[in-house]
Each structure stands twice: as C-alpha cells, then as structure tokens.
Amino acid sequence: MSRSTFHFTSESVSEGHPDKVADRISDTIVDLFLAKDPEARVACETLTTTNRVVLAGEIRGKGIWENGGWVGNIEGEIEDAVRAAVRDIGYEQDGFHWRTFEFSNHLHGQSVDIAVGVDATDDKDEGAGDQGIMFGYASNETPELMPATLAYSHEILRRLAALRHAGEKALEPDAKSQVTLFYENGKPVRATSIVVSTQHAKGLTQADVRKVVEPVVRDVLPADFITDETVWHINPTGIFEIGGPDGDTGLTGRKIIVDTYGGAAPHGGGAFSGKDPTKVDRSAAYAARYLAKNVVAAGLADRCTIQLSYAIGVAQPQSVHVDLHGTGRIAEEVLERELPALIGGATPRAIRTHLGLNKPIYARTAAYGHFGQKPDTDGGFSWEKTDLVEKLKALA
C-alpha cells in the first residue's frame, strides 16, 4: 500500500466459523492449563467437523501431565471445557451440538528434546520455543490504530453476534464479512463494496437476512462512507442454512490474516491460538504489535511495521527491523536499537513478564482479531496498552 490512492479489502469471520470454533477450543485448553500451572507448555490443535471435535498436540504442566500421564480428572475437565466453549458460541444444531458431538482427545506429553532447548537452566536463559519471524503493525487510520478495512469487518460480525446472543432468531453462528474501502491521500474515504454472508434460520429469504444485516453495517461504518455507488453483497449465494463445522471442516490456525492485520502488513506464517506464551509465534507477535502501536501512538510515525526473528532454544532475538513507511519522525535505526530495551531485551521471558502473558487470557482472543481490542482489567490484551508513549517521545 505504498500508493496514496487505491482500493483495499480485508475480511473477518465470526466466532461460529468452523476455523474459529477450532481456535476457541484450542485457546480454551491453553487457559485451562495456565490456570493450573502458569508455566504450562501447550500446543493444542483442534479439528471440528460434523458432530465431532478432535484434539491433538503436546503439553506439559504441574497438575496436568506428569510422569507420562494425566493427573487426576483433568481429562474430564478438558472435555467439559470444550463443550462449554461450543455452547457459549451457540451451537445447538443437528449437525453440531455442544451436548452431543463426539469428542476425541489425543493430547500427549511434550517432547523432551524441545523441553531441553527451551527451558531455562542455571547458565542459560529460557530459549524461544521455535524459530520464526513475527510482525507487528499499527496505523493511525482508526482510533484502535488498526487498518480500517479490518476494524470495520470485525465490528460488523461482532455486532451481529451480539444481536444473535440477545435473541435475534434470524441469525446462526457462522458468518463472514468483507469490506473494501477507497483511499485518498492514504486515508479511507468511502466504501466501494460490502460483503456479508451469515448462516440463518431455515426458511428465510435473502431479503429477510438483509433486513437484519444492513442496519448493522450502516451503524458500523461512518455515515459518509456508504454512498449510492457502494456495492452490497448480502448472502450472495442466496441461502446459508447449513454452516459451522457441519458445513465445513475447521482447523486451528487457518485464519492468521483475520487474526492480525487483514493483509495490510506482512505475516510470519505462525498461528497464535492453542499455543502457550513461550511460543514466540504468539508472544513475539504480541510484542511486535505492542511496540508498533506505541510508536504510532507517540506520534513518531503514521504507520509502523516491526519484524522480530528468533531461533529455537536461543533467548535473544536474531534481528529487529523497523519500517515507518516513509512517515517517520525518528530514524528507524534508533528504534531498532532502543525498542528491545523497553521490554527487557525482547527475550521470550522478558516479553512474557512485561506483558503478563502467563495467565488464562486467551480464549477471548480467538475471534474478531488479536489486535485492536481494548485491554482488559485482568491483563487480557495487555499488548494493546500504550504505556510506552512517554519513553518513546523522549527518544525523539
């Protein structure tokens, strides 16, 4: 997006999308284990399909998995937590019902080879849980410092879900949205296309669904963004009664662009959900967003992209790269040198400590984006705080 005049599109998917159901379940397991052991290691993958949920992955933790097996009634707690997550989303359909789906748990102990490389010892700091590259991004085009196309796509589905949970009978859990905006001088000025596909109650027509959806869209977008030339596609296939895991298989980690910046920034390829915060795919991506957001909030740039890279078992980042996209009011080299120190060196342990990530705060991140949401009082979304602004202003 280096040009000043262009169209750009982002999409979102609802909490009831089959991939998001999988993300929610995986993060529910992370929260369950971190509540028992803040140092638990979790890599939980979920598959959802017609009346079936399957878990697989590696775990370790006190009171969870010890001496090669489960502790106490933890297996029963896992199944109860999974069913509660699906119930909370709202699935009570013939093809996928929280009470009756078949459940399989194939989680097992973490590899000792990984544990040796990652764990801290007397002469070695805690290493990164894997190699990889992670990106963080911020833009001043919205109050949340997120791309407008993605912010609006998320908010449309969040509002539709709120209507459904409040009793709107026309709507079912599975939904997708897509917003295309026209930018002038690098700023969004109008919507050229709106796409919303939502699962609906049986017997409803396309017109019935539009009566529910269109007012929500108009309430989310600025009034002057929608014009007579805006193209609308509400349930463009005409019918969407079979949805969720009954309509399509869901897997953890398949919506990484929805989870991040809607295509407005690079992505390192690693998913977030189902991973404890020693995995830098998750924690370092949160740290990069935190730093980028604070740079923009401090007025040092209109846009900021930060890349961090890591090697498995090694604590220090292999590189720090800052791109201010030609909008900077400080040298990028200065930020590359100074930013890691603001979070204790950007090691996995420093990131977890600074952002308070060893808490059961992750199920709430599984839908409507990991970024751009308000920090919670219990430590959730701590990476959205702008508490580095004064220190960054001093650098300038």
Side-chain angles (χ1 to χ4, degrees):
M1 296 196 300
S2 59
R3 293 178 294 152
S4 62
T5 302
F6 54 89
H7 291 84
F8 194 74
T9 304
S10 295
E11 70 158 349
S12 181
V13 297
S14 73
E15 64 192 271
H17 185 281
D19 293 331
K20 279 290 145 199
V21 176
D23 284 345
R24 171 68 178 274
I25 291 170
S26 291
D27 275 338
T28 294
I29 299 305
V30 173
D31 284 353
L32 175 66
F33 290 173
L34 288 179
K36 292 179 176 294
D37 179 3
E39 299 295 327
R41 301 293 191 261
V42 191
C44 177
E45 310 295 341
T46 301
L47 177 148
T48 64
T49 187
T50 302
N51 274 327
R52 184 179 294 273
V53 171
V54 180
L55 304 188
E58 305 77 42
I59 47 87
R60 174 160 57 100
K62 296 177 181 178
I64 304 165
W65 181 277
E66 298 177 17
N67 301 317
W70 295 107
V71 176
N73 187 42
I74 186 66
E75 287 183 282
E77 292 183 52
I78 290 170
E79 180 171 354
D80 289 345
V82 170
R83 293 191 184 279
V86 174
R87 181 181 61 207
D88 187 60
I89 292 169
Y91 273 110
E92 295 185 340
Q93 301 171 1
D94 290 341
F96 195 69
H97 194 297
W98 66 269
R99 193 190 302 275
T100 59
F101 65 72
E102 294 186 38
F103 177 71
S104 302
N105 177 9
H106 301 280
L107 294 168
H108 59 80
Q110 185 187 54
S111 162
V112 294
D113 293 344
I114 294 176
V116 168
V118 174
D119 288 355
T121 62
D122 291 340
D123 59 354
K124 183 180 83 70
D125 193 7
E126 175 186 289
D130 202 350
Q131 72 174 46
I133 56 176
M134 298 84 207
F135 289 91
Y137 177 77
S139 167
N140 65 3
E141 62 189 74
T142 65
E144 304 89 352
L145 305 186
M146 289 289 288
T149 49
L150 183 63
Y152 295 141
S153 295
H154 282 325
E155 186 61 19
I156 288 167
L157 296 185
R158 188 182 287 112
R159 300 260 188 111
L160 289 175
L163 275 179
R164 176 173 58 83
H165 285 297
E168 173 55 67
K169 300 299 184 183
L171 301 174
E172 296 289 352
D174 194 358
K176 302 181 77 170
S177 64
Q178 185 171 286
V179 174
T180 302
L181 299 181
F182 182 68
Y183 285 68
E184 288 182 346
N185 298 318
K187 300 296 182 182
V189 295
R190 66 177 181 272
T192 58
S193 175
I194 304 292
V195 183
V196 179
S197 296
T198 180
Q199 186 185 15
H200 57 82
K202 293 181 179 179
L204 296 187
T205 66
Q206 194 176 37
D208 293 331
V209 174
R210 180 160 182 161
K211 288 178 183 178
V212 177
V213 171
E214 184 173 339
V216 171
V217 175
R218 289 185 178 277
D219 193 47
V220 168
L221 270 68
D224 58 347
F225 272 36
I226 298 178
T227 71
D228 292 341
E229 297 180 353
T230 301
V231 177
W232 292 77
H233 295 288
I234 308 300
N235 279 22
T237 63
I239 186 170
F240 186 3
E241 293 180 357
I242 301 172
D246 189 29
D248 194 6
T249 299
L251 294 170
T252 302
R254 281 207 299 200
K255 289 293 178 283
I256 56 177
I257 301 304
V258 171
D259 286 344
T260 52
Y261 306 104
H267 195 293
F272 304 154
S273 290
K275 298 176 181 178
D276 74 79
T278 66
K279 277 72 170 176
V280 285
D281 275 347
R282 181 168 222 160
S283 56
Y286 289 175
R289 160 63 178 175
Y290 174 64
L291 294 173
K293 183 176 183 180
N294 275 269
V295 167
V296 174
L300 303 187
D302 296 337
R303 294 170 57 208
C304 178
T305 300
I306 294 175
Q307 184 204 56
L308 302 174
S309 69
Y310 292 85
I312 187 169
V314 180
Q316 294 296 329
Q318 302 301 289
S319 65
V320 179
H321 174 72
V322 177
D323 184 358
L324 302 182
H325 304 277
T327 69
R329 290 171 278 281
I330 187 173
E332 290 155 333
E333 294 83 356
V334 172
L335 292 176
E336 288 170 351
R337 183 177 67 247
E338 301 293 338
L339 284 175
L342 296 180
I343 54 172
T347 66
R349 182 187 294 277
I351 291 170
R352 290 191 297 121
T353 300
H354 188 93
L355 296 178
L357 298 181
N358 283 97
K359 301 176 182 178
I361 55 174
Y362 296 106
R364 70 194 73 172
T365 69
Y368 314 118
H370 291 247
F371 308 124
Q373 304 203 40
K374 294 180 180 179
D376 293 331
T377 57
D378 64 351
F381 299 104
S382 60
W383 50 94
E384 291 297 313
K385 292 182 179 180
T386 52
D387 52 358
L388 299 180
V389 165
E390 295 307 316
K391 292 180 179 178
L392 286 167
K393 286 180 177 179
L395 286 180

